[in-house]
Structure formats: C-alpha cells, structure tokens
Amino acid sequence: ERRELGDALASELEKLGFTVERMYMPFGQAIPIVYGTDPKELQWHIYTAGWGKGALDKWDYSTINQFGCPWYGWLPGYQEAGWWQYENATLDELGIKIFKGEFKSKAERNELYRKVTEMIIQESVRVWIATQLAINPARKEVKGLTNDLGAGLRSPLNPREVYVPGKDTVVVGHNWVWTEATVWNPIGGHDDVYSVDIWRAIYDPAMWSHPFSGEPIPFRLDYAVETAGPDGKLNVPPDAFMWDAEAKAWKAVGEGVTATSKVTFDLSKYIGTKWHNGQEITWEDVLFSIYQTYDIMNDPEKSSMEAKTAAILKETLAPIKGYRIVGENKLEVYLDYWHFDPNYIAEYAAPPLQHYPWELLAAMDKVVFEKKQATYSETASEKFGVPWLSMILKDHAAMVDSALDEIEYPENVFTVLGTFYGKKENFESRKAADHAWFSEHGH
C-alpha cells in the first residue's frame, strides 16, 4: 500500500512540474533516514508512512502530541540538540495542556483537542490518507482470543490467553521479527510495530487499556486514586522523595509542597515475582528504573548525549512532585495532574518501570554513558556515530554482558532517606544469572 500511495503522490507532483526521485526501499532501510538524520541535510522530503494502533485510548492525550506537536519529539528535528527543528509554539502550548491535564472539564478538554486537530490539519506535516481496519486470520480451533477494537489480535492479552485445546503451543505469524530499525532497549528503542508486538508479549505493563472501551485498567499494578482537582491541592508528605542528579541521592521534598492528586500503587504482584532468568524482582529494580529515568533527564552529561530523550522526559515528568514507599509493597506518587477520569490520573502517575533487571540497566548505562560504545536513541546514534543499542543483537548483548563485570553496586540508588532497600548479597548471583542467559541465548 505504501508504494501505491507514494507512486500516486509522485505522479501528481510531476503533473505540477516537480521532478521527483522515487526512492524505493524497505522499512528497515527507510526509517534511519527519515527519523535518524538532521532535516537540514535534505536526505528526504516526503515519506509514505504507516502507523499501527497499539491499544484503544478513550481520552487520547499522547497520540495527538506525537503526530502533530513538535515538543513530543516525533516531528522533523525530533528535539535532537543542534538539528533543524520544525517549530510551532501554539501547537506545543495546546498539546501540552492536553497531555498534562491542564483543563477543568471534559468540555474544555474536548475543545482543546478540536483546536489542536484543526491546526495539525492546517500544518499538514503529516497528511493522513486512510484508516485501515486490519484483518487478522486465526484458525477456528484457537480459543481465548480477544479482538481488541484498536489493536485487533495484536493485543497483549492474546499471547497470554490464547490456546488450542489439547496442545501446549500456539504459533503466531508476523511480517517481520527483525529489521534494521527493530531496536530493543527500554530507553529509546521499540519504535517499530515489529519489536513492540513481541516485547508486549513478554513483559507485564503496570496498566493497559480495556480492549473494548479504551479505559485505562490495572494490569500488573493495582492502584487507588485520590485527587483534589481541578482546583484543590493535597499536601505532599515532607518525606516524599525525588532523585537529585547533582547530589546523586534521593532527597526529601520537604515542607510546604502540594500536589493536585495522589496515586497509591500496589506492587505486590510485581515485587517478589521473578525475571525470565529466575532472579527475584525487588525494590532495587523499581528504584533503579526511576533513578535511571530522572538521571538521564537531569544529569548534564547524560542529557547532552541523549538530548531528545531528556527533552521529552523534562516535559512529561514535570507534574510529578514526589514518590513515597509505604509498607512492604506500596508506592505513593504525588503529581500536579487532574483528569475527569481518575484512571487517567493513575496512568500518568505510573512509575517508569523499564522491565529489565536493574543490573542490566546499569550495564547498559555503562555502555552508553561511560564507554560510549552505543546510544539509547536513534538520533543520538546518528549524531555520535556509534550503534543504536539493541539487546537482541549478539554483539550489542556482548558489550552489555562484558560491562556487567565492571558495574559497582549503587548503594546510593537503593538508599532512600536513610532506609536501605537493597539486597547486596544477591548482587553476584544476579550477574551470574545474566551471564548464563547471555551464554545460552546470545541476547
């Protein structure tokens, strides 16, 4: 379909007098040119793209920003420092209001959405041609299928629930399991549908969207929402904490801090369960994921290397006012965010779990930020001339495997306001399990 659309557009442009160079190439070859080069290099002008819906979204706030508002990092320039940028301050202002819940009613939200949609159509950086309802065939003996109204059979519910009576294996086909643009890393990878579909089959998100209503619902983490919004405020406990990238430590937010909402997440179905390599998921894995996210955003060296990632994180995480561990397995999140649907407050507050063992995340950080052998994002890869880190490639996995032996145990990350949440005695066994996994699987 993309070739047919491209040829039709090219023919119309030629009728108008333009000379058109038709550059036919597969997805994996095109993506690095379109999304991995500085627009001012003029390596391309028009690209016929396709996007797949991963899930329904009853009150969308991210897709409208992704497709039309430059701040979100998906329009030409991609927020990579030093590159030419498509800019539109009005779209950014209105899009961020939708994203951050800066409205006081459903009617106000809907009016913002209409305005942004109209402006995106007027700008036409992306021109939408058609919505295709995909057909996903399945053999009649396959049971337990969920036909997600947005994602069809690609819903992550299906690989967890489908079965064939009397058999212990279900075979699923996909157009591709790897392309040159299929990149597995939790920070700046999983940009293509081919890796995303497989990735969603092997980890559990904190929350997901209901397959028929698009309503955010608990998946791995249960939650409770309390809000004083849209106009009120809650007091944030002074012992709530945030990561201080300069001090390299968790710091108390202190007295006098307020927030619009509070979400309490129950991690009892996460902490204490096991990774694929048999090791236990602990508070270390939760705290390291949060630390890693904020350190990339705020550490000057890291944010300069991963400029696009840091720029987007600074906007999206700005409403978070503090975290607080309560009891054995609960995490409170305080944020300046309100929505008329409280499930969207929970979705926004969900902790940034990377779903990799913490020591692998630490080894990846060493490869990217200390050894500078690879980058997390595609734009940084192009900028610095090193590979885009992908944990399914043997040579990339080998770099991380080697770095495992060089990382030190980060007690500062696992010590929150004087309380130590680490299990240092398991450090060597966790690394050994990772080495064994790499040795057996190569990725």
Side-chain angles (χ1 to χ4, degrees):
E1 297 92 337
R2 294 197 204 183
R3 176 167 179 157
E4 292 173 358
L5 288 171
D7 279 338
L9 177 59
S11 296
E12 292 301 317
L13 287 170
E14 286 169 340
K15 290 177 184 177
L16 294 172
F18 289 97
T19 300
V20 179
E21 180 185 358
R22 305 184 189 212
M23 301 169 65
Y24 300 114
M25 60 185 69
F27 166 88
Q29 185 181 349
I31 289 294
I33 298 173
V34 175
Y35 293 103
T37 63
D38 187 341
K40 68 174 175 282
E41 296 175 3
L42 299 177
Q43 293 193 36
W44 66 283
H45 292 95
I46 299 172
Y47 175 58
T48 50
W51 292 85
K53 191 69 176 169
L56 284 179
D57 193 350
K58 186 173 183 178
W59 303 106
D60 169 61
Y61 60 93
S62 60
T63 304
I64 191 90
N65 279 283
Q66 176 184 354
F67 290 145
C69 303
W71 76 272
Y72 201 68
W74 277 100
L75 273 75
Y78 313 114
Q79 296 302 303
E80 182 59 56
W83 285 12
W84 179 92
Q85 302 291 331
Y86 163 70
E87 297 178 343
N88 190 307
T90 306
L91 269 175
D92 278 351
E93 177 186 356
L94 298 179
I96 287 171
K97 284 181 180 291
I98 295 170
F99 193 96
K100 293 184 178 179
E102 295 175 359
F103 43 76
K104 295 186 178 182
S105 67
K106 183 191 299 185
E108 183 180 349
R109 178 263 177 202
N110 290 347
E111 182 58 30
L112 282 169
Y113 204 95
R114 290 188 187 98
K115 285 183 178 179
V116 173
T117 302
E118 290 172 0
M119 288 188 65
I120 289 172
I121 293 170
Q122 289 168 359
E123 291 289 286
S124 287
V125 178
R126 284 188 170 95
V127 179
W128 297 96
I129 304 300
T131 296
Q132 176 178 311
L133 300 179
I135 297 172
N136 305 117
R139 295 175 63 92
K140 63 182 179 181
E141 60 265 34
V142 177
K143 308 299 181 185
L145 290 169
T146 298
N147 190 15
D148 186 297
L149 296 182
L153 299 190
R154 294 176 46 244
S155 167
L157 299 175
N158 283 315
R160 290 161 173 81
E161 297 180 0
V162 299
Y163 66 98
V164 176
K167 295 186 177 182
D168 60 4
T169 302
V170 176
V171 178
V172 180
H174 210 304
N175 281 351
W176 302 94
V177 293
W178 184 83
T179 74
E180 292 92 334
T182 296
V183 171
W184 285 61
N185 82 61
I187 307 300
H190 296 296
D191 280 345
D192 66 306
V193 68
Y194 309 114
S195 69
V196 167
D197 283 350
I198 302 171
W199 174 230
R200 285 177 178 163
I202 60 174
Y203 84 96
D204 282 353
M207 299 174 62
W208 197 248
S209 295
H210 192 284
F212 308 131
S213 71
E215 184 87 6
I217 56 175
F219 199 99
R220 191 73 167 197
L221 307 186
D222 292 323
Y223 55 84
V225 178
E226 178 183 347
T227 183
D231 296 313
K233 288 292 182 182
L234 304 171
N235 291 319
V236 178
D239 61 343
F241 57 87
M242 292 288 281
W243 179 254
D244 186 323
E246 183 177 357
K248 297 299 179 187
W250 301 102
K251 292 293 185 73
V253 301
E255 302 285 349
V257 179
T258 62
T260 304
S261 303
K262 165 190 170 183
V263 183
T264 303
F265 290 97
D266 183 350
L267 279 66
S268 59
K269 296 177 183 176
Y270 188 71
I271 293 174
T273 57
K274 295 185 184 298
W275 295 112
H276 291 74
N277 63 6
Q279 298 299 297
E280 181 185 0
I281 298 175
T282 69
W283 272 110
E284 294 167 316
D285 300 299
V286 176
L287 287 170
F288 196 95
S289 286
I290 300 173
Y291 141 78
Q292 184 185 44
T293 302
Y294 280 86
D295 213 51
I296 290 173
M297 177 177 73
N298 291 323
D299 178 273
E301 182 177 357
K302 291 181 179 180
S303 63
S304 65
M305 289 182 63
E306 292 291 342
K308 172 186 174 180
T309 301
I312 296 168
L313 287 173
K314 283 184 178 180
E315 284 288 355
T316 57
L317 293 178
I320 306 296
K321 307 301 287 290
Y323 298 90
R324 187 168 177 255
I325 296 174
V326 180
E328 291 289 322
N329 293 316
K330 290 188 176 180
L331 180 69
E332 294 177 348
V333 183
Y334 294 85
L335 65 163
D336 274 340
Y337 180 90
W338 177 83
H339 200 284
F340 47 83
D341 185 334
N343 292 301
Y344 275 86
I345 300 176
E347 183 178 64
Y348 201 103
L353 303 177
Q354 309 296 10
H355 306 292
Y356 277 64
W358 76 261
E359 69 278 2
L360 283 182
L361 297 175
M364 285 186 244
D365 272 0
K366 179 169 280 291
V367 167
V368 171
F369 296 120
E370 294 184 32
K371 292 175 170 290
K372 297 180 173 56
Q373 296 172 316
T375 64
Y376 281 128
S377 65
E378 183 178 18
T379 53
S381 171
E382 173 70 20
K383 184 175 181 179
F384 295 106
V386 295
W388 189 10
L389 182 66
S390 184
M391 294 296 288
I392 59 166
L393 299 180
K394 287 187 177 181
D395 56 339
H396 291 206
M399 291 191 294
V400 175
D401 190 21
S402 176
L404 269 172
D405 291 324
E406 302 176 40
I407 62 172
E408 298 179 359
Y409 188 82
E411 292 194 24
N412 59 321
V413 176
F414 305 140
T415 303
V416 181
L417 309 184
T419 300
F420 183 58
Y421 291 91
K423 292 189 176 183
K424 192 173 183 178
E425 65 275 14
N426 295 339
F427 184 35
E428 294 303 323
S429 64
R430 286 179 68 120
K431 290 194 294 182
D434 294 327
H435 285 315
W437 181 274
F438 284 130
S439 177
E440 180 179 356
H441 300 281
H443 62 275

